[in-house]
Amino acid sequence: MDELRRKGLEKMNEVYGWEMPNIEGDPYFDLTVDHLFGTIWTRPGLSMRDKRIMTLTAVTAVGNSDLAEIQANAALANGEMTEDELKEMAVFLTHYLGFPLGSKLDGAVSKVIKNRKKRPAEDKKANVNAAVKMHSGGTVHDE
């Protein structure tokens, strides 16, 4: 594994709060790990919390509640935000993005909070599978 891939996987694991598998030979996954996580997420100048808030705002603005769930779960797992802060973020964004998009974020946050209390181990596995699927062009790979 080259240095950029190692650095990208380390940052991806930090961003998501769990261990992502290294998928060899998938060009979409390669681009995501090497460029997005190895180059963009590792740039100095913004804290992880800043990057998380911007990512949550962006995925809320485009209505991607699946990715909002992944990001909210990771924010809680990494201690970057509290449940109350995530709920407040949904209220705040509702007034800039509109009720339908803000309520999608609120629903995603509520679902994550409920799942983390009910079944943390299964929720973690589901989030890993969802993140792998998202970053590998739609294919879930078993570990």
Side-chain angles (χ1 to χ4, degrees):
M1 178 181 319
D2 70 18
E3 180 62 21
L4 183 58
R5 175 53 62 102
R6 185 197 58 71
K7 181 179 169 184
L9 276 174
E10 283 179 5
K11 183 54 74 171
M12 194 174 194
N13 291 336
E14 180 185 350
V15 168
Y16 286 128
W18 58 72
E19 203 67 27
M20 292 292 292
N22 182 26
I23 301 169
E24 296 289 339
D26 183 324
Y28 191 80
F29 190 79
D30 292 345
L31 182 63
T32 300
V33 173
D34 298 345
H35 180 66
L36 177 60
F37 291 101
T39 304
I40 303 302
W41 273 87
T42 59
R43 289 176 56 85
L46 297 171
S47 69
M48 283 294 291
R49 180 181 162 87
D50 294 339
K51 292 171 186 174
R52 182 82 62 202
I53 290 170
M54 291 187 332
T55 302
L56 275 163
T57 300
V59 300
T60 300
V62 298
N64 190 334
S65 56
D66 290 340
L67 189 50
E69 285 179 33
I70 292 169
Q71 292 292 326
N73 191 53
L76 291 170
N78 291 337
E80 297 156 355
M81 298 180 78
T82 66
E83 293 175 359
D84 289 341
E85 289 170 327
L86 286 166
K87 296 293 276 181
E88 187 60 30
M89 187 175 177
V91 170
F92 185 83
L93 287 177
T94 295
H95 291 83
Y96 285 91
L97 301 175
F99 186 83
L101 293 173
S103 66
K104 270 187 166 184
L105 176 60
D106 185 66
V109 168
S110 295
K111 183 177 177 182
V112 164
I113 291 168
K114 180 177 143 192
N115 287 345
R116 288 177 64 83
K117 290 178 181 167
K118 255 169 102 170
R119 56 187 203 295
E122 294 92 23
D123 195 46
K124 182 177 179 180
K125 175 84 169 149
N127 281 323
V128 170
N129 285 338
V132 169
K133 184 177 179 181
M134 176 182 58
H135 291 301
S136 65
T139 305
V140 175
H141 300 269
D142 290 325
E143 294 181 281

